[in-house]
Amino acid sequence: MADRIVYKILTSAEHEIFERTGSFSGSPADLADGFIHFSTGAQVPGTLDRHFSGQSDLMLLAVDCGLLDPAAMRWEPARGGQLFPHLYAVLPWGAVVAVCPVTRDANGQVQLPV
């Protein structure tokens, strides 16, 4: 896929632990599925609406796929047949290129950090 930057949504608590330890093995949903779920920029709003509805205190991390093991990244069909980026490895903090709180503008559009 052409998307070099993908996004991971974390709770503030997950983000704090990730930043402190330098690696992220996954959220409970990631661990249950056996891979770390990411979204493209275009997929972030749908992921937020479907999996994080009503939650606040969320962080959006921009991850550079070029800084990940290419053998561990797979683009696989999921919601509606769309290809989603999945990481079959631990996510290193060094691959995170930007972080911001999840916010939406006046039109409801999610503000991406990159």
Side-chain angles (χ1 to χ4, degrees):
M1 293 294 303
D3 294 82
R4 181 175 172 105
I5 302 296
V6 296
Y7 299 90
K8 179 66 183 163
I9 302 162
L10 297 178
T11 64
S12 290
E14 289 170 329
H15 167 254
E16 289 172 15
I17 293 168
F18 180 17
E19 187 174 22
R20 186 174 62 250
T21 63
S23 65
F24 182 71
S25 297
S27 65
D30 298 328
L31 295 171
D33 290 341
F35 55 85
I36 296 177
H37 294 265
F38 291 111
S39 298
T40 65
Q43 294 166 336
V44 166
T47 299
L48 281 167
D49 293 343
R50 183 179 179 115
H51 299 288
F52 297 91
S53 180
Q55 292 186 43
S56 59
D57 206 25
L58 297 173
M59 302 298 289
L60 188 58
L61 284 67
V63 176
D64 185 335
C65 291
L67 300 174
L68 300 173
D69 176 359
M73 279 296 295
R74 298 183 196 158
W75 290 79
E76 299 174 311
R79 190 171 62 232
Q82 295 179 65
L83 292 179
F84 279 80
H86 298 150
L87 178 65
Y88 288 83
V90 172
L91 176 60
W93 181 255
V96 176
V97 295
V99 178
C100 71
V102 171
T103 60
R104 294 183 188 248
D105 66 17
N107 296 319
Q109 297 298 313
V110 176
Q111 302 301 292
L112 300 176
V114 170

